[in-house]
Amino acid sequence: MESTKESIHVKISSEIAKNIITGQYSNCSLPTEMELSSHYSVSRNSVREALKILASKGLLCSKQKAGTKVTPRSEWNFLDPQLYEWFSELPEMEGVIAKFIRMQKLLIPEACADAALNATGEQRVQLSRVFQAFSTHIRESENDLLSSKPLLSSFYRTLFIASNNELFSPYAKILDILFHSKDYQLSQPTINTLEIYQKIYDSIMIADEMSARKAARKLFN
């Protein structure tokens, strides 16, 4: 029963968040808990819990006597992966996603450098397994973008984890979500770019921080 109750909170918070992101509550005010409870046909406690979820993501703030308000867009937590999981395909998120994609030029080289420095032996073994699967696929099915996406996503996710840099965790989750979005445009990995990935992988395996960073930057030239 608790699981069902929790799913109600998440569902309501998702619906309210969508209305916020698409500008339905553009006047910065939000319906009251009673109004939301009536609209969604749920208890006020369920609404209250849903609003707490949205407040934790920076979309809402509550002040005594002022009620619950929609916060300015500049205060939203765009490093919260759940926002992308819910709404990565909304037109209103396209600008945010485009900015995130540009940030990859900075994030991925540093994640590679940190992985070269910090990856454990077990993580290097896992990265090796993932890279071998990815590289084999590219050699055998270079033009199959659809099946390349999950393999490349797995490589990046494993790489970010191997960086052991806590600050990269939300970026890794967001990138993984975007990779699985049908509208996310991914540069087709080719035999030529595979040489770059091979250099990244080799550099991480021998703990060569500078070479890993330098190789990763070539992905975005």
Side-chain angles (χ1 to χ4, degrees):
M1 191 68 177
E2 183 64 30
S3 176
T4 302
K5 184 179 180 181
E6 182 178 354
S7 67
I8 292 173
H9 300 161
V10 174
K11 182 177 180 179
I12 295 173
S13 63
S14 173
E15 289 296 323
I16 297 174
K18 184 176 182 179
N19 290 334
I20 293 172
I21 291 172
T22 57
Q24 182 167 324
Y25 300 136
S26 57
N27 62 354
C28 294
S29 63
L30 197 72
T32 65
E33 287 183 5
M34 185 175 294
E35 290 170 334
L36 290 169
S37 174
S38 175
H39 178 74
Y40 292 109
S41 301
V42 296
S43 68
R44 289 184 64 180
N45 187 58
S46 293
V47 170
R48 194 172 297 119
E49 292 302 314
L51 297 183
K52 287 180 181 178
I53 293 174
L54 298 179
S56 72
K57 301 179 189 305
L59 275 66
L60 298 175
C61 65
S62 298
K63 294 183 179 179
Q64 195 171 12
K65 296 183 180 180
T68 301
K69 303 287 185 180
V70 177
T71 57
R73 189 178 175 90
S74 60
E75 296 181 19
W76 297 358
N77 182 10
F78 285 109
L79 290 184
D80 190 315
Q82 194 165 34
L83 289 183
Y84 297 83
E85 186 176 357
W86 283 345
F87 307 123
S88 63
E89 295 173 11
L90 281 180
E92 289 81 3
M93 290 290 284
E94 287 178 358
V96 177
I97 292 172
K99 292 173 184 175
F100 180 85
I101 291 172
R102 290 200 299 273
M103 286 178 63
Q104 291 180 102
K105 297 179 181 181
L106 301 174
L107 297 173
I108 290 177
E110 294 308 311
C112 290
D114 278 3
L117 282 176
N118 303 323
T120 65
E122 183 178 349
Q123 288 170 337
R124 292 176 201 272
V125 169
Q126 177 61 20
L127 184 62
S128 180
R129 292 195 190 102
V130 171
F131 177 74
Q132 295 306 323
F134 167 63
S135 60
T136 298
H137 173 79
I138 295 303
R139 291 190 180 94
E140 296 177 352
S141 309
E142 181 177 4
N143 297 318
D144 188 356
L145 176 60
L146 187 61
S147 57
S148 295
K149 289 177 82 172
L151 289 168
L152 188 55
S153 173
S154 180
F155 174 73
Y156 278 123
R157 182 174 62 253
T158 305
L159 189 153
F160 272 95
I161 292 171
S163 75
N164 288 300
N165 184 331
E166 298 87 345
L167 298 181
F168 284 142
S169 179
Y171 296 107
K173 292 177 182 177
I174 293 169
L175 187 60
D176 194 42
I177 291 166
L178 295 183
F179 265 114
H180 289 84
S181 169
K182 64 182 178 65
D183 294 327
Y184 182 64
Q185 298 299 313
L186 171 68
S187 297
Q188 173 65 45
T190 64
I191 294 297
N192 290 333
T193 56
L194 184 57
E195 294 179 5
I196 300 175
Y197 286 106
Q198 182 73 56
K199 180 63 175 177
I200 293 171
Y201 167 75
D202 290 342
S203 299
I204 293 173
M205 289 300 108
I206 63 173
D208 189 337
E209 171 195 8
M210 293 182 64
S211 292
R213 181 186 291 111
K214 183 179 180 180
R217 285 174 177 167
K218 290 182 180 179
L219 290 172
F220 304 100
N221 290 341

